[in-house]
Amino acid sequence: MPLLERRFTIKANDFVKAGEVSIEVQGILKKIGFDPTLVRRVSICAYEAEMNVVMHGGDGEMMLHVEPEEIDLVCSDQGGGIEDIELALLPGYSTARPEHQEMGFGAGMGLPNIKKNASSLDVYSRKGEGTRLIMKFEVGDEH
Amino acid sequence: MTMKLAELVELLDAEIVVGHEKRDLSFEFCTASDLMSDILRGPTSGSILITGLNNTQVIRASVIANVAAIVLVRKKRPNEDLVERAKEHEIPLIRTPFTMFTACGKLFEVGLRGIDELL
Ligand SMILES: Nc1ncnc2c1ncn2[C@@H]1O[C@H](COP(=O)(O)OP(=O)(O)O)[C@@H](O)[C@H]1O
Ligand SMILES: [Mg+2]
């Protein structure tokens, strides 16, 4: 039985709202009373994934699934997808546009940062078919 | 060393835009960057962020990373949405006339250190 399950929608290119989903996720996990370091790790991954949907993906959603021993985030979108996932996971690789760089994004460290902070990361994507990230966090793992 | 927000404000000739009630907030480490990924990757929790980024996302990234306060350099006037979001999330927002280099130098000179020491 999950403690909690929530679904949030994310809109492509909406920089006014971008990040709000992740801040809501952060609030929910804080309120449940998870360790602050774990909450920070999950929130950072949520934000990196959410911003990727907004900047590179299309309209999408974030699912939060909470159990006493595990937190799962599934972030998916119906955008253009990723042609070469291995390349996208390399530190520094980015196709961010100048307007994203002006805002401080586009260092190409988002997916590597998710990999660093999550207990596990799976990326499913195909060019033209959208992207799905499955991020798992084991409560109490060493990170 | 630790410093209070009020002392930083004085040292940097700064103006508190949001967070007057948090003048007693104390902190130990600073980070300076115009890159979101620096905010999101380092041990920035509880640190002061010195930045030239003047957009709403700098507030959201800072909230996500538990940054203690944001210092906007070079006399930048924060846009209205940024101010509203800083109020919403109760994160102090400060403006200094100094450039990033000078602001960092002044804080380093009195003994504050970067988050490198936490790595
Ligand atoms: N949801 C997505 N849809 C399409 N492409 C994506 C998505 N997420 C990531 N990418 C691709 O992977 C690259 C690397 O992502 P990331 O590591 O977060 O760096 P950045 O966001 O700074 O570009 C992006 O520039 C983009 O080309
Ligand atoms: Mg990214």
Side-chain angles (χ1 to χ4, degrees):
Chain A
M1 263 283 282
L3 276 179
L4 180 144
E5 211 153 29
R6 287 284 304 271
R7 179 179 169 276
F8 308 89
T9 56
I10 305 171
K11 272 197 67 112
N13 292 309
D14 184 352
F15 286 95
V16 177
K17 290 249 164 78
E20 279 187 355
V21 166
S22 305
I23 288 182
E24 220 174 313
V25 167
Q26 180 185 45
I28 290 169
L29 298 177
K30 247 191 213 170
K31 210 166 148 194
I32 295 176
F34 283 111
D35 169 60
T37 310
L38 177 65
V39 175
R40 185 172 187 267
R41 281 170 49 204
V42 180
S43 309
I44 285 173
C45 292
Y47 183 74
E48 295 278 19
E50 181 181 359
M51 294 314 297
N52 278 356
V53 169
V54 173
M55 290 189 288
H56 315 298
D59 288 347
E61 61 172 49
M62 179 94 70
M63 294 274 298
L64 169 68
H65 178 103
V66 182
E67 286 183 37
E69 300 301 324
E70 184 172 314
I71 301 168
D72 298 340
L73 286 174
V74 180
C75 186
S76 47
D77 68 72
Q78 290 111 47
I82 303 174
E83 194 165 2
D84 185 340
I85 296 174
E86 239 175 86
L87 185 63
L89 282 162
L90 286 180
Y93 176 81
S94 176
T95 58
R97 299 192 291 272
E99 66 262 33
H100 303 144
Q101 288 162 350
E102 239 164 70
M103 280 186 274
F105 294 102
M109 300 306 286
L111 293 174
N113 200 21
I114 295 175
K115 220 171 163 182
K116 182 179 121 193
N117 281 291
S119 306
S120 75
L121 163 68
D122 288 301
V123 185
Y124 302 94
S125 185
R126 263 215 188 128
K127 196 167 188 254
E129 290 179 23
T131 300
R132 176 187 298 258
L133 261 58
I134 302 180
M135 299 162 267
K136 296 191 174 175
F137 305 84
E138 284 158 35
V139 175
D141 72 348
E142 302 269 324
H143 244 87
Chain B
M1 87 164 259
T2 61
M3 185 185 260
K4 287 207 158 125
L5 204 59
E7 300 172 76
L8 174 142
V9 167
E10 178 147 339
L11 193 65
L12 297 185
D13 256 332
E15 174 199 339
I16 300 181
V17 184
V18 175
H20 289 277
E21 71 289 351
K22 291 202 178 165
R23 299 178 62 87
D24 278 340
L25 179 104
S26 61
F27 58 91
E28 257 181 285
F29 296 98
C30 291
T31 185
S33 182
D34 284 349
L35 276 181
M36 292 297 178
S37 72
D38 287 340
I39 305 171
L40 296 165
R41 278 173 62 83
T44 51
S45 191
S47 73
I48 300 292
L49 171 67
I50 302 161
T51 188
L53 289 173
N54 185 4
N55 68 65
T56 308
Q57 290 306 324
V58 81
I59 302 286
R60 298 231 170 90
S62 297
V63 171
I64 289 289
N66 292 334
V67 164
I70 299 165
V71 178
L72 209 54
V73 295
R74 261 181 287 131
K75 279 190 196 151
K76 291 197 180 196
R77 195 167 285 286
N79 73 52
E80 220 171 284
D81 189 50
L82 194 146
V83 174
E84 284 315 307
R85 296 290 82 75
K87 283 184 191 157
E88 178 189 345
H89 297 297
E90 298 176 351
I91 184 162
L93 179 64
I94 287 147
R95 291 171 76 204
T96 175
F98 296 116
T99 61
M100 196 189 286
F101 180 83
T102 306
C104 294
K106 283 181 182 287
L107 295 171
F108 197 93
E109 199 174 24
V110 298
L112 275 178
R113 289 298 175 259
I115 56 168
D116 338 24
E117 306 220 333
L118 301 170
L119 289 171

mmCIF file of all heavy atoms in Angstrom, chain A residues 41-42 44-49 52 73 85-91 108-123 133-138 141-143, chain B residues 40-41:
data_model
loop_
_atom_site.group_PDB
_atom_site.id
_atom_site.type_symbol
_atom_site.label_atom_id
_atom_site.label_comp_id
_atom_site.label_asym_id
_atom_site.label_seq_id
_atom_site.Cartn_x
_atom_site.Cartn_y
_atom_site.Cartn_z
ATOM 1 N N ARG A 41 17.490 15.543 -2.293
ATOM 2 C CA ARG A 41 17.862 14.724 -3.462
ATOM 3 C C ARG A 41 16.673 14.517 -4.392
ATOM 4 O O ARG A 41 16.781 14.681 -5.613
ATOM 5 C CB ARG A 41 18.390 13.358 -3.002
ATOM 6 C CG ARG A 41 19.825 13.378 -2.518
ATOM 7 C CD ARG A 41 20.179 12.045 -1.866
ATOM 8 N NE ARG A 41 19.789 10.896 -2.686
ATOM 9 C CZ ARG A 41 19.551 9.681 -2.211
ATOM 10 N NH1 ARG A 41 19.680 9.428 -0.931
ATOM 11 N NH2 ARG A 41 19.210 8.717 -3.033
ATOM 12 N N VAL A 42 15.537 14.137 -3.824
ATOM 13 C CA VAL A 42 14.348 13.885 -4.648
ATOM 14 C C VAL A 42 13.897 15.180 -5.336
ATOM 15 O O VAL A 42 13.584 15.190 -6.531
ATOM 16 C CB VAL A 42 13.184 13.299 -3.799
ATOM 17 C CG1 VAL A 42 11.963 13.053 -4.672
ATOM 18 C CG2 VAL A 42 13.608 12.019 -3.095
ATOM 19 N N ILE A 44 15.630 17.854 -6.117
ATOM 20 C CA ILE A 44 16.567 18.254 -7.169
ATOM 21 C C ILE A 44 16.310 17.435 -8.442
ATOM 22 O O ILE A 44 16.251 17.983 -9.545
ATOM 23 C CB ILE A 44 18.035 18.113 -6.679
ATOM 24 C CG1 ILE A 44 18.362 19.272 -5.722
ATOM 25 C CG2 ILE A 44 19.018 18.083 -7.853
ATOM 26 C CD1 ILE A 44 19.717 19.169 -5.037
ATOM 27 N N CYS A 45 16.118 16.137 -8.287
ATOM 28 C CA CYS A 45 15.833 15.289 -9.455
ATOM 29 C C CYS A 45 14.515 15.690 -10.110
ATOM 30 O O CYS A 45 14.419 15.754 -11.341
ATOM 31 C CB CYS A 45 15.794 13.822 -9.055
ATOM 32 S SG CYS A 45 17.410 13.183 -8.578
ATOM 33 N N ALA A 46 13.511 15.958 -9.277
ATOM 34 C CA ALA A 46 12.212 16.367 -9.812
ATOM 35 C C ALA A 46 12.367 17.653 -10.627
ATOM 36 O O ALA A 46 11.859 17.764 -11.750
ATOM 37 C CB ALA A 46 11.216 16.572 -8.672
ATOM 38 N N TYR A 47 13.103 18.596 -10.070
ATOM 39 C CA TYR A 47 13.268 19.893 -10.743
ATOM 40 C C TYR A 47 14.048 19.754 -12.056
ATOM 41 O O TYR A 47 13.667 20.325 -13.074
ATOM 42 C CB TYR A 47 13.970 20.877 -9.800
ATOM 43 C CG TYR A 47 14.123 22.261 -10.361
ATOM 44 C CD1 TYR A 47 13.032 23.129 -10.453
ATOM 45 C CD2 TYR A 47 15.357 22.720 -10.816
ATOM 46 C CE1 TYR A 47 13.172 24.410 -10.965
ATOM 47 C CE2 TYR A 47 15.506 23.999 -11.333
ATOM 48 C CZ TYR A 47 14.413 24.842 -11.404
ATOM 49 O OH TYR A 47 14.558 26.106 -11.928
ATOM 50 N N GLU A 48 15.137 18.988 -12.034
ATOM 51 C CA GLU A 48 15.916 18.769 -13.264
ATOM 52 C C GLU A 48 15.020 18.132 -14.340
ATOM 53 O O GLU A 48 15.047 18.537 -15.504
ATOM 54 C CB GLU A 48 17.124 17.856 -13.002
ATOM 55 C CG GLU A 48 18.191 18.421 -12.066
ATOM 56 C CD GLU A 48 19.183 19.365 -12.750
ATOM 57 O OE1 GLU A 48 18.877 19.875 -13.848
ATOM 58 O OE2 GLU A 48 20.265 19.595 -12.164
ATOM 59 N N ALA A 49 14.234 17.142 -13.932
ATOM 60 C CA ALA A 49 13.368 16.434 -14.887
ATOM 61 C C ALA A 49 12.248 17.354 -15.380
ATOM 62 O O ALA A 49 11.941 17.392 -16.582
ATOM 63 C CB ALA A 49 12.783 15.185 -14.236
ATOM 64 N N ASN A 52 13.552 19.849 -17.835
ATOM 65 C CA ASN A 52 13.817 19.215 -19.125
ATOM 66 C C ASN A 52 12.542 19.062 -19.950
ATOM 67 O O ASN A 52 12.550 19.270 -21.161
ATOM 68 C CB ASN A 52 14.488 17.856 -18.933
ATOM 69 C CG ASN A 52 15.987 17.982 -18.710
ATOM 70 O OD1 ASN A 52 16.542 19.081 -18.763
ATOM 71 N ND2 ASN A 52 16.641 16.870 -18.465
ATOM 72 N N LEU A 73 9.642 8.638 -8.652
ATOM 73 C CA LEU A 73 9.172 9.728 -9.507
ATOM 74 C C LEU A 73 9.164 9.207 -10.931
ATOM 75 O O LEU A 73 10.149 8.620 -11.378
ATOM 76 C CB LEU A 73 10.130 10.924 -9.450
ATOM 77 C CG LEU A 73 10.188 11.819 -8.229
ATOM 78 C CD1 LEU A 73 11.334 12.819 -8.394
ATOM 79 C CD2 LEU A 73 8.871 12.568 -8.044
ATOM 80 N N ILE A 85 20.258 8.396 -26.247
ATOM 81 C CA ILE A 85 20.138 8.526 -24.787
ATOM 82 C C ILE A 85 21.507 8.532 -24.109
ATOM 83 O O ILE A 85 21.752 9.302 -23.192
ATOM 84 C CB ILE A 85 19.244 7.396 -24.215
ATOM 85 C CG1 ILE A 85 17.811 7.540 -24.773
ATOM 86 C CG2 ILE A 85 19.214 7.426 -22.694
ATOM 87 C CD1 ILE A 85 16.868 6.415 -24.397
ATOM 88 N N GLU A 86 22.406 7.687 -24.599
ATOM 89 C CA GLU A 86 23.742 7.627 -24.001
ATOM 90 C C GLU A 86 24.450 8.974 -24.079
ATOM 91 O O GLU A 86 25.088 9.424 -23.128
ATOM 92 C CB GLU A 86 24.590 6.580 -24.735
ATOM 93 C CG GLU A 86 25.084 5.477 -23.821
ATOM 94 C CD GLU A 86 25.818 4.413 -24.614
ATOM 95 O OE1 GLU A 86 27.023 4.605 -24.821
ATOM 96 O OE2 GLU A 86 25.172 3.426 -25.032
ATOM 97 N N LEU A 87 24.299 9.612 -25.226
ATOM 98 C CA LEU A 87 24.895 10.935 -25.440
ATOM 99 C C LEU A 87 24.259 11.958 -24.500
ATOM 100 O O LEU A 87 24.955 12.775 -23.870
ATOM 101 C CB LEU A 87 24.681 11.348 -26.906
ATOM 102 C CG LEU A 87 25.325 12.645 -27.385
ATOM 103 C CD1 LEU A 87 26.845 12.562 -27.306
ATOM 104 C CD2 LEU A 87 24.885 12.959 -28.817
ATOM 105 N N ALA A 88 22.926 11.903 -24.378
ATOM 106 C CA ALA A 88 22.205 12.863 -23.537
ATOM 107 C C ALA A 88 22.615 12.738 -22.071
ATOM 108 O O ALA A 88 22.587 13.713 -21.314
ATOM 109 C CB ALA A 88 20.698 12.661 -23.670
ATOM 110 N N LEU A 89 23.038 11.540 -21.683
ATOM 111 C CA LEU A 89 23.434 11.318 -20.288
ATOM 112 C C LEU A 89 24.864 11.795 -19.994
ATOM 113 O O LEU A 89 25.276 11.865 -18.838
ATOM 114 C CB LEU A 89 23.320 9.829 -19.936
ATOM 115 C CG LEU A 89 21.892 9.321 -19.665
ATOM 116 C CD1 LEU A 89 21.827 7.806 -19.770
ATOM 117 C CD2 LEU A 89 21.400 9.784 -18.297
ATOM 118 N N LEU A 90 25.628 12.133 -21.039
ATOM 119 C CA LEU A 90 27.003 12.587 -20.825
ATOM 120 C C LEU A 90 27.022 13.984 -20.217
ATOM 121 O O LEU A 90 26.301 14.869 -20.672
ATOM 122 C CB LEU A 90 27.780 12.619 -22.150
ATOM 123 C CG LEU A 90 28.222 11.297 -22.750
ATOM 124 C CD1 LEU A 90 28.985 11.551 -24.056
ATOM 125 C CD2 LEU A 90 29.109 10.531 -21.771
ATOM 126 N N PRO A 91 27.871 14.192 -19.193
ATOM 127 C CA PRO A 91 27.993 15.526 -18.607
ATOM 128 C C PRO A 91 28.397 16.529 -19.688
ATOM 129 O O PRO A 91 29.323 16.279 -20.460
ATOM 130 C CB PRO A 91 29.120 15.364 -17.579
ATOM 131 C CG PRO A 91 29.150 13.916 -17.256
ATOM 132 C CD PRO A 91 28.710 13.195 -18.501
ATOM 133 N N GLY A 108 24.101 21.144 -19.459
ATOM 134 C CA GLY A 108 24.199 19.725 -19.807
ATOM 135 C C GLY A 108 24.498 18.845 -18.606
ATOM 136 O O GLY A 108 25.053 17.756 -18.733
ATOM 137 N N MET A 109 24.125 19.308 -17.416
ATOM 138 C CA MET A 109 24.414 18.555 -16.202
ATOM 139 C C MET A 109 23.153 17.995 -15.538
ATOM 140 O O MET A 109 23.227 17.405 -14.462
ATOM 141 C CB MET A 109 25.152 19.454 -15.188
ATOM 142 C CG MET A 109 26.476 20.006 -15.684
ATOM 143 S SD MET A 109 27.608 18.735 -16.272
ATOM 144 C CE MET A 109 28.120 18.024 -14.721
ATOM 145 N N GLY A 110 22.011 18.176 -16.175
ATOM 146 C CA GLY A 110 20.743 17.780 -15.554
ATOM 147 C C GLY A 110 20.593 16.279 -15.390
ATOM 148 O O GLY A 110 20.386 15.777 -14.274
ATOM 149 N N LEU A 111 20.706 15.546 -16.503
ATOM 150 C CA LEU A 111 20.572 14.087 -16.411
ATOM 151 C C LEU A 111 21.688 13.476 -15.550
ATOM 152 O O LEU A 111 21.409 12.616 -14.706
ATOM 153 C CB LEU A 111 20.516 13.471 -17.817
ATOM 154 C CG LEU A 111 19.252 13.825 -18.647
ATOM 155 C CD1 LEU A 111 19.369 13.283 -20.073
ATOM 156 C CD2 LEU A 111 17.993 13.290 -17.981
ATOM 157 N N PRO A 112 22.960 13.926 -15.722
ATOM 158 C CA PRO A 112 24.003 13.412 -14.822
ATOM 159 C C PRO A 112 23.703 13.688 -13.342
ATOM 160 O O PRO A 112 24.006 12.869 -12.475
ATOM 161 C CB PRO A 112 25.268 14.169 -15.269
ATOM 162 C CG PRO A 112 25.016 14.528 -16.693
ATOM 163 C CD PRO A 112 23.533 14.777 -16.795
ATOM 164 N N ASN A 113 23.083 14.846 -13.085
ATOM 165 C CA ASN A 113 22.758 15.187 -11.699
ATOM 166 C C ASN A 113 21.657 14.278 -11.153
ATOM 167 O O ASN A 113 21.658 13.919 -9.973
ATOM 168 C CB ASN A 113 22.337 16.661 -11.617
ATOM 169 C CG ASN A 113 22.451 17.231 -10.211
ATOM 170 O OD1 ASN A 113 23.175 16.698 -9.369
ATOM 171 N ND2 ASN A 113 21.730 18.309 -9.961
ATOM 172 N N ILE A 114 20.714 13.903 -12.016
ATOM 173 C CA ILE A 114 19.663 12.970 -11.597
ATOM 174 C C ILE A 114 20.301 11.616 -11.283
ATOM 175 O O ILE A 114 20.017 10.979 -10.272
ATOM 176 C CB ILE A 114 18.578 12.812 -12.678
ATOM 177 C CG1 ILE A 114 17.831 14.143 -12.870
ATOM 178 C CG2 ILE A 114 17.601 11.688 -12.310
ATOM 179 C CD1 ILE A 114 16.810 14.137 -14.001
ATOM 180 N N LYS A 115 21.221 11.213 -12.166
ATOM 181 C CA LYS A 115 21.892 9.927 -11.969
ATOM 182 C C LYS A 115 22.645 9.885 -10.638
ATOM 183 O O LYS A 115 22.647 8.885 -9.933
ATOM 184 C CB LYS A 115 22.860 9.684 -13.126
ATOM 185 C CG LYS A 115 22.837 8.257 -13.561
ATOM 186 C CD LYS A 115 23.597 8.014 -14.810
ATOM 187 C CE LYS A 115 23.835 6.511 -14.862
ATOM 188 N NZ LYS A 115 24.611 6.118 -16.013
ATOM 189 N N LYS A 116 23.251 11.038 -10.321
ATOM 190 C CA LYS A 116 24.025 11.145 -9.090
ATOM 191 C C LYS A 116 23.127 11.072 -7.849
ATOM 192 O O LYS A 116 23.488 10.469 -6.842
ATOM 193 C CB LYS A 116 24.798 12.473 -9.114
ATOM 194 C CG LYS A 116 25.695 12.722 -7.918
ATOM 195 C CD LYS A 116 26.419 14.055 -8.060
ATOM 196 C CE LYS A 116 26.062 14.944 -6.876
ATOM 197 N NZ LYS A 116 26.455 16.335 -7.044
ATOM 198 N N ASN A 117 21.968 11.686 -7.927
ATOM 199 C CA ASN A 117 21.125 11.823 -6.733
ATOM 200 C C ASN A 117 20.100 10.709 -6.518
ATOM 201 O O ASN A 117 19.654 10.486 -5.401
ATOM 202 C CB ASN A 117 20.395 13.162 -6.756
ATOM 203 C CG ASN A 117 21.287 14.313 -6.317
ATOM 204 O OD1 ASN A 117 21.652 14.400 -5.152
ATOM 205 N ND2 ASN A 117 21.677 15.163 -7.255
ATOM 206 N N ALA A 118 19.712 10.043 -7.606
ATOM 207 C CA ALA A 118 18.702 8.993 -7.471
ATOM 208 C C ALA A 118 19.375 7.666 -7.137
ATOM 209 O O ALA A 118 20.540 7.458 -7.457
ATOM 210 C CB ALA A 118 17.905 8.872 -8.762
ATOM 211 N N SER A 119 18.649 6.769 -6.473
ATOM 212 C CA SER A 119 19.178 5.415 -6.253
ATOM 213 C C SER A 119 19.267 4.698 -7.588
ATOM 214 O O SER A 119 20.179 3.930 -7.840
ATOM 215 C CB SER A 119 18.278 4.628 -5.306
ATOM 216 O OG SER A 119 18.075 5.332 -4.106
ATOM 217 N N SER A 120 18.282 4.959 -8.462
ATOM 218 C CA SER A 120 18.373 4.429 -9.820
ATOM 219 C C SER A 120 17.626 5.334 -10.785
ATOM 220 O O SER A 120 16.675 6.023 -10.411
ATOM 221 C CB SER A 120 17.793 3.012 -9.877
ATOM 222 O OG SER A 120 16.381 3.065 -9.826
ATOM 223 N N LEU A 121 18.113 5.356 -12.026
ATOM 224 C CA LEU A 121 17.470 6.150 -13.080
ATOM 225 C C LEU A 121 17.335 5.304 -14.332
ATOM 226 O O LEU A 121 18.294 4.665 -14.769
ATOM 227 C CB LEU A 121 18.324 7.394 -13.414
ATOM 228 C CG LEU A 121 18.007 8.087 -14.752
ATOM 229 C CD1 LEU A 121 16.624 8.744 -14.714
ATOM 230 C CD2 LEU A 121 19.065 9.145 -15.083
ATOM 231 N N ASP A 122 16.132 5.269 -14.894
ATOM 232 C CA ASP A 122 15.927 4.624 -16.191
ATOM 233 C C ASP A 122 15.337 5.650 -17.139
ATOM 234 O O ASP A 122 14.397 6.361 -16.781
ATOM 235 C CB ASP A 122 14.972 3.437 -16.066
ATOM 236 C CG ASP A 122 15.628 2.272 -15.343
ATOM 237 O OD1 ASP A 122 16.663 1.779 -15.836
ATOM 238 O OD2 ASP A 122 15.134 1.889 -14.259
ATOM 239 N N VAL A 123 15.936 5.730 -18.324
ATOM 240 C CA VAL A 123 15.441 6.666 -19.334
ATOM 241 C C VAL A 123 14.887 5.879 -20.515
ATOM 242 O O VAL A 123 15.587 5.039 -21.080
ATOM 243 C CB VAL A 123 16.578 7.588 -19.844
ATOM 244 C CG1 VAL A 123 16.022 8.630 -20.813
ATOM 245 C CG2 VAL A 123 17.296 8.279 -18.692
ATOM 246 N N LEU A 133 11.189 9.243 -17.728
ATOM 247 C CA LEU A 133 12.261 9.025 -16.757
ATOM 248 C C LEU A 133 11.668 8.338 -15.535
ATOM 249 O O LEU A 133 10.663 8.807 -14.993
ATOM 250 C CB LEU A 133 12.834 10.367 -16.298
ATOM 251 C CG LEU A 133 14.133 10.883 -16.926
ATOM 252 C CD1 LEU A 133 13.974 11.015 -18.425
ATOM 253 C CD2 LEU A 133 14.537 12.214 -16.326
ATOM 254 N N ILE A 134 12.283 7.236 -15.117
ATOM 255 C CA ILE A 134 11.852 6.598 -13.870
ATOM 256 C C ILE A 134 12.980 6.732 -12.853
ATOM 257 O O ILE A 134 14.092 6.259 -13.072
ATOM 258 C CB ILE A 134 11.488 5.116 -14.093
ATOM 259 C CG1 ILE A 134 10.367 5.035 -15.150
ATOM 260 C CG2 ILE A 134 11.055 4.462 -12.782
ATOM 261 C CD1 ILE A 134 9.909 3.627 -15.463
ATOM 262 N N MET A 135 12.683 7.456 -11.789
ATOM 263 C CA MET A 135 13.691 7.733 -10.761
ATOM 264 C C MET A 135 13.241 7.094 -9.458
ATOM 265 O O MET A 135 12.123 7.322 -9.015
ATOM 266 C CB MET A 135 13.833 9.245 -10.566
ATOM 267 C CG MET A 135 14.276 9.969 -11.826
ATOM 268 S SD MET A 135 13.945 11.754 -11.771
ATOM 269 C CE MET A 135 12.332 11.828 -12.562
ATOM 270 N N LYS A 136 14.120 6.283 -8.874
ATOM 271 C CA LYS A 136 13.771 5.630 -7.605
ATOM 272 C C LYS A 136 14.733 6.064 -6.507
ATOM 273 O O LYS A 136 15.928 6.243 -6.754
ATOM 274 C CB LYS A 136 13.821 4.109 -7.776
ATOM 275 C CG LYS A 136 12.784 3.621 -8.760
ATOM 276 C CD LYS A 136 12.627 2.114 -8.759
ATOM 277 C CE LYS A 136 11.453 1.794 -9.668
ATOM 278 N NZ LYS A 136 11.248 0.370 -9.852
ATOM 279 N N PHE A 137 14.187 6.185 -5.326
ATOM 280 C CA PHE A 137 14.981 6.593 -4.168
ATOM 281 C C PHE A 137 14.673 5.646 -3.019
ATOM 282 O O PHE A 137 13.528 5.563 -2.585
ATOM 283 C CB PHE A 137 14.620 8.021 -3.750
ATOM 284 C CG PHE A 137 14.758 9.022 -4.859
ATOM 285 C CD1 PHE A 137 13.726 9.206 -5.779
ATOM 286 C CD2 PHE A 137 15.916 9.765 -5.009
ATOM 287 C CE1 PHE A 137 13.851 10.122 -6.820
ATOM 288 C CE2 PHE A 137 16.043 10.679 -6.042
ATOM 289 C CZ PHE A 137 15.004 10.859 -6.952
ATOM 290 N N GLU A 138 15.689 4.935 -2.587
ATOM 291 C CA GLU A 138 15.473 4.051 -1.441
ATOM 292 C C GLU A 138 15.686 4.864 -0.172
ATOM 293 O O GLU A 138 16.703 5.540 -0.033
ATOM 294 C CB GLU A 138 16.482 2.897 -1.478
ATOM 295 C CG GLU A 138 16.133 1.835 -2.504
ATOM 296 C CD GLU A 138 17.347 1.024 -2.891
ATOM 297 O OE1 GLU A 138 18.212 0.773 -2.020
ATOM 298 O OE2 GLU A 138 17.446 0.657 -4.078
ATOM 299 N N ASP A 141 19.282 4.860 1.891
ATOM 300 C CA ASP A 141 20.492 4.427 1.181
ATOM 301 C C ASP A 141 21.586 5.480 1.332
ATOM 302 O O ASP A 141 21.332 6.629 1.659
ATOM 303 C CB ASP A 141 20.219 4.085 -0.300
ATOM 304 C CG ASP A 141 19.951 5.319 -1.141
ATOM 305 O OD1 ASP A 141 19.747 6.404 -0.557
ATOM 306 O OD2 ASP A 141 19.945 5.208 -2.371
ATOM 307 N N GLU A 142 22.826 5.054 1.143
ATOM 308 C CA GLU A 142 23.960 5.965 1.331
ATOM 309 C C GLU A 142 24.139 6.818 0.089
ATOM 310 O O GLU A 142 24.323 6.299 -0.996
ATOM 311 C CB GLU A 142 25.249 5.143 1.552
ATOM 312 C CG GLU A 142 25.177 4.208 2.723
ATOM 313 C CD GLU A 142 25.666 4.864 4.004
ATOM 314 O OE1 GLU A 142 26.615 5.666 3.925
ATOM 315 O OE2 GLU A 142 25.092 4.571 5.059
ATOM 316 N N HIS A 143 24.062 8.141 0.261
ATOM 317 C CA HIS A 143 24.251 9.011 -0.904
ATOM 318 C C HIS A 143 24.891 10.325 -0.515
ATOM 319 O O HIS A 143 24.546 10.878 0.483
ATOM 320 C CB HIS A 143 22.908 9.296 -1.588
ATOM 321 C CG HIS A 143 22.845 8.755 -2.972
ATOM 322 N ND1 HIS A 143 22.452 7.475 -3.235
ATOM 323 C CD2 HIS A 143 23.120 9.293 -4.175
ATOM 324 C CE1 HIS A 143 22.477 7.271 -4.538
ATOM 325 N NE2 HIS A 143 22.887 8.344 -5.140
ATOM 326 N N LEU B 40 22.239 23.556 -8.240
ATOM 327 C CA LEU B 40 21.584 22.258 -8.047
ATOM 328 C C LEU B 40 22.554 21.111 -7.796
ATOM 329 O O LEU B 40 22.139 20.021 -7.410
ATOM 330 C CB LEU B 40 20.738 21.925 -9.279
ATOM 331 C CG LEU B 40 19.576 22.882 -9.544
ATOM 332 C CD1 LEU B 40 19.045 22.701 -10.959
ATOM 333 C CD2 LEU B 40 18.473 22.690 -8.524
ATOM 334 N N ARG B 41 23.841 21.318 -8.036
ATOM 335 C CA ARG B 41 24.786 20.202 -7.915
ATOM 336 C C ARG B 41 25.630 20.215 -6.651
ATOM 337 O O ARG B 41 25.978 19.182 -6.118
ATOM 338 C CB ARG B 41 25.712 20.169 -9.122
ATOM 339 C CG ARG B 41 25.094 19.496 -10.316
ATOM 340 C CD ARG B 41 25.973 19.627 -11.521
ATOM 341 N NE ARG B 41 27.263 18.989 -11.334
ATOM 342 C CZ ARG B 41 27.488 17.693 -11.505
ATOM 343 N NH1 ARG B 41 26.499 16.906 -11.865
ATOM 344 N NH2 ARG B 41 28.680 17.192 -11.340
#
